[in-house]
Amino acid sequence: MGSLDKPNALRLITLFSGSVKGMAFYPPSHPAIRQPLMELYKILTTALSCGEQVSWGLIDGIMFFDDHLFIAPSTAIADLTERLTEKGIARITATSSVSFGELELFVKLFSSRSVRFDTLSVQMAEGGVTSLKLVRHGDETFDQGNDDAEIVPEGGHVAAYTRALSAIKTICRDIERGRIPNSAPLIKVVDKMVAITMEEPWALLGLTMIKDYDHYTFNHCVNVGVLSMALGATLGLDTMSVRNLGIAGQLHDIGKVMIPKNILNKPGKFSSDEFDEMKRHPEFGSKIIREMEGLAPHISSVVLGHHLHYNRSGYPEWATQLPFNQMIDIVAVADTYDAITTLRVYQHPATPKAALDEMQKLAGTILNGAIVECFIKMMGDYPVGTLVRLDTNEVALVHRPNPQDGKAPLVRIVIDGEGERLPVPREQALVGSDGSHYAAIVAVVDPLLKDIDIGRLITGGFTEAA
Ligand SMILES: [Fe+2]
Ligand SMILES: [Fe+2]
């Protein structure tokens, strides 16, 4: 159980970042510093009233406070991330004895741009700051003796997702710099995801509703990997095939890094020249993958074939006669689903349910009909990540399928019967294990109409669940 809810955790990080920045311009006694510092201290002590200590810092470049992860960084988070990285600090830990004076001095010392981990540690000791501790980057082991991915089961799922995201980002950055990417971090995180997926194929599906519109390609790659793995596991494939599907899915669009940005991000339709250029991304991607170490040869083949279409009406045209295995059909189904459910400059996202209807129309031609059918079955009547209205007039997010009753999944209530947004979503089974009935789903709700960010809800709602 986390000590703060996500908005307060975010507020704390923002205040910390703001106070650090402000110290460069004002003395600590100035109201522009003192006020945010006092608020920061108040939130920090509230957090500490629930436990011995709290931590904030970076996991694989992603800011966290306790078990909250901040996937889409604000300016304050980006600034703090940069400072922590420059200083070589992975984590700051505060214990319950922390005083306002210690916090104030720490913020002042931390605010010096040139000071690094070792000097800062010495200055803190000299200044008597003993209730705040630093963990050096590279020395991160979590206090419970656990891998951080295992702090809480679902928080662990988010951590796996963000690790995958960071692995893909690094791979893309290496490609941009003309380097051959290292496949090891991606393989490591896929292995973790495979273990989760083989046990519960749907366990990671909710995370695919995390859509970061500014970094569409990265999230899209991870989402397609997650969906492909889930589909492979549902189809009864063995662990090695599911693992290769996860890797292929996550790498399927890396060739886009080689496509000029003005084409890649163009709103509206491509000209025929632009489309020809865009169509080269599977070839670019498969070539890069062939050069990467430790990847099975058919992973590059899946990437090459992911736009060929089931009836081979797709591209690259020269590859339409080549033999491919079923994995391209699986990745193509996952790719199509994630693309349809994502908001892009030129596209309003479809709800998961509408996306499945759309895909049914493509079954047998563009997509493999049998795989689409299996995918639809796997996603259920109300796929994870769907926002629904209940007959109690509450609005809820589908959180987990119910294998016993596809129409009665586990949900998180987001808006109550009076239309009030709940500060903390409430977990609710529509039908209890004893058969008791809570409510029925009456409609699917468009999250944009309710101004609800499903991704945020999915990553933010873990600690409060009973
Ligand atoms: Fe693609
Ligand atoms: Fe794609």
Side-chain angles (χ1 to χ4, degrees), residues 216 220-221 224 252-253 256 281 306-307 335-336 339:
Y216 163 71
H220 172 63
C221 281
V224 171
H252 82 286
D253 269 343
K256 285 190 178 173
H281 79 269
H306 78 274
H307 284 294
D335 188 19
T336 307

Side-chain angles (χ1 to χ4, degrees), residues 376-441:
I376 291 174
K377 228 188 222 151
M378 173 182 90
M379 299 305 271
D381 291 316
Y382 299 100
V384 171
T386 305
L387 205 61
V388 291
R389 185 174 297 284
L390 307 178
D391 57 5
T392 53
N393 205 32
E394 290 161 308
V395 174
L397 177 75
V398 176
H399 175 49
R400 277 185 199 189
N402 175 0
Q404 270 75 48
D405 183 351
K407 294 198 187 316
L410 191 71
V411 299
R412 283 195 172 134
I413 312 272
V414 188
I415 298 176
D416 70 15
E418 272 71 56
E420 289 297 319
R421 187 88 178 248
L422 298 184
V424 174
R426 190 180 87 243
E427 202 147 293
Q428 181 68 52
L430 297 187
V431 173
S433 48
D434 56 355
S436 58
H437 171 91
Y438 176 77
I441 295 174

